[in-house]
Amino acid sequence: MMDKVYLNGEFIAADQAKISVFDRGFLFADSVYEVVPYYQGKSFQMELHLRRLQQSLAAINIRAEHNWRKITDRLVELNGGGDLSVYLQVTRGVGNRRSQAIDTNMLPTVFACTHSIENSYSANVDSVAGIKVIVCEDLRWRRCDIKSNSLLPNILVMEQARLQGAQEALLQRDDTMLEGASSNLLIVENGKLIAPDSEHAILAGTTSSLVRDLAAANGIQYRQQSISYSRLLAADEVWISSSTRGLLPVLQIDQYLVGTGIKGQLWRRMYQLLAVQQQSLFEN
Ligand code: PDD
C-alpha cells in the first residue's frame, strides 16, 4: 500500500502529491522543517519539536498557524503507527515568478510524510554499534539555530563521510567544534558532560536537551563550553544525538580512536536513562 502524505490540508497517496514549480521551497529552499520521532504510534518530545518549529518559522517570518500535532498524529495513524519519523516542511508558498522579493499574500505550503525508523532506545546497550566520524569545515550560514532546508553544505560533508566509511561529519568553524551534519555533539571529560556553547551556530537539539535534563536530574555535571579540535580528540568519550539516531557513541574521529576505542561508561548510563524516559511513553 502506498504511504499517505499530508499536503496543504489533504491526506493523499504519496504519488498524488504535487507542488508548483514556483514554490519557493523548491526554488530557494525558502522553508523550514522538523523531524519528529514516533514510537509505537506515540510522539516523543513533541512539545520541544513544536516550539522549535514556531521559532524557525518566526525567525524567517513565515506566518503559518496549524494544529501541527493533529496533522502529524493523523498521518502516523494513516501510515499504520509503529516506529516512524514524521518529516514536516513549511515553505513560504508559491510566488508568481522567480523573484527573491517576498509577497506577503502567499499561502505557506505545508507538507508532511513519514519514514520508518529503528527504535533508537530498544537495543541492549551492549549491542549498540559505535560510529566513526570525520571532521569537516563548516560551510553553513550563521543562523544554524533555524532548521532551514538549505542543506547543501550538510549534504556535501555527508558524502565525504560516506566516502571515508564514516557515519557522520562533525562541523568545525575557526577551530571550534559545533555539531554534526544532522546531529548534536557532546563530549565527556573526567565524568563531566560538555556541549558546544555556540548560540546561533548550532541547532538546539531536542535529544541533547533531554540529555541535559537527565544529567541535571542524575547528578551528572553538564557545561556548555567552546570545544576545539584538540580538546575533542583528547575527550574520554564523544557522543552524537538526534531524534532519529538517538544517542550514539563515537569511537573514531578521522584517523584517531576516542579513548581506547570502546563505548564509554557515561554513554552507557545516559543511554539507559534515555531508554527509561522513552519507555515512560507507554506507561499510561
Ligand atoms: N536532524 N543538528 C542538526 C544540524 C540537525 O539536523 C539535527 C537533527 C540535530 C539534532 O536535533 P534533534 O535532537 O532535535 O533531532 C542537530 C534531523 C533528525 C534531520 O535533519 O533529519
Side-chain angles (χ1 to χ4, degrees):
M1 191 191 68
M2 171 75 62
D3 270 2
K4 289 276 197 300
V5 301
Y6 173 88
L7 183 63
N8 297 329
E10 288 183 303
F11 295 94
I12 49 181
D15 62 354
Q16 299 303 306
K18 304 276 188 289
I19 62 159
S20 162
V21 292
F22 292 109
D23 193 289
R24 295 175 63 97
F26 173 65
L27 290 177
F28 303 125
D30 187 355
S31 60
V32 295
Y33 74 104
E34 266 304 321
V35 179
V36 187
Y38 277 70
Y39 300 110
Q40 296 175 34
K42 291 191 173 183
S43 62
F44 189 51
Q45 304 251 92
M46 180 57 103
E47 293 72 25
L48 291 184
H49 286 281
L50 292 184
R51 195 181 315 148
R52 191 170 65 190
L53 177 65
Q54 298 300 352
Q55 286 165 354
S56 293
L57 288 168
I60 67 164
N61 209 10
I62 289 182
R63 298 249 289 268
E65 274 154 40
H66 294 275
N67 189 337
W68 305 110
R69 183 193 286 263
K70 206 167 152 194
I71 294 171
T72 57
D73 281 359
R74 179 75 185 129
L75 186 62
V76 165
E77 198 176 287
L78 287 170
N79 286 334
D83 297 338
L84 295 173
S85 69
V86 176
Y87 171 80
L88 176 62
Q89 180 178 358
V90 184
T91 87
R92 199 178 301 280
V94 180
N96 55 10
R97 61 198 183 91
R98 193 187 164 281
S99 161
Q100 291 185 6
I102 292 171
D103 167 0
T104 49
N105 294 320
M106 277 178 300
L107 211 59
T109 300
V110 179
F111 168 66
C113 63
T114 61
H115 299 287
S116 47
I117 49 169
E118 293 285 318
N119 182 338
S120 323
Y121 305 111
S122 67
N124 180 296
V125 71
D126 290 316
S127 64
V128 176
I131 64 164
K132 173 184 171 184
V133 303
I134 57 166
V135 173
C136 297
E137 187 188 349
D138 190 358
L139 297 174
R140 302 173 304 164
W141 69 334
R142 280 181 280 185
R143 287 302 306 275
C144 295
D145 54 322
I146 301 171
K147 203 159 170 55
S148 143
N149 282 99
S150 304
L151 293 170
L152 198 49
N154 311 54
I155 290 167
L156 294 179
V157 292
M158 273 315 284
E159 181 58 7
Q160 285 301 314
R162 190 185 67 80
L163 292 171
Q164 294 182 46
Q167 290 80 44
E168 177 62 298
L170 297 181
L171 302 169
Q172 177 186 34
R173 192 176 290 186
D174 303 327
D175 198 31
T176 302
M177 299 306 310
L178 295 171
E179 61 181 335
S182 66
S183 61
N184 286 114
L185 168 69
L186 292 140
I187 67 170
V188 178
E189 285 174 349
N190 302 321
K192 299 187 185 96
L193 258 179
I194 319 283
D197 63 356
S198 316
E199 196 193 350
H200 288 313
I202 62 174
L203 189 74
T206 59
T207 318
S208 61
S209 130
L210 182 55
V211 166
R212 186 191 56 213
D213 293 349
L214 289 171
N218 291 278
I220 301 163
Q221 278 198 48
Y222 175 99
R223 296 268 177 285
Q224 281 180 291
Q225 290 172 356
S226 170
I227 302 171
S228 65
Y229 183 66
S230 55
R231 188 174 183 184
L232 175 76
L233 292 185
D236 301 321
E237 300 183 29
V238 175
W239 310 341
I240 61 155
S241 69
S242 88
S243 298
T244 45
R245 292 197 275 182
L247 188 69
L248 292 178
V250 175
L251 303 185
Q252 189 182 337
I253 301 169
D254 295 330
Q255 67 272 39
Y256 308 105
L257 290 185
V258 176
T260 53
I262 57 166
K263 292 179 280 187
Q265 283 309 317
L266 197 58
W267 171 80
R268 286 172 178 272
R269 185 161 170 220
M270 186 55 75
Y271 179 87
Q272 281 161 335
L273 290 170
L274 283 162
V276 169
Q277 193 70 22
Q278 191 238 29
Q279 273 302 313
S280 65
L281 267 184
F282 313 117
E283 275 157 18
N284 40 43

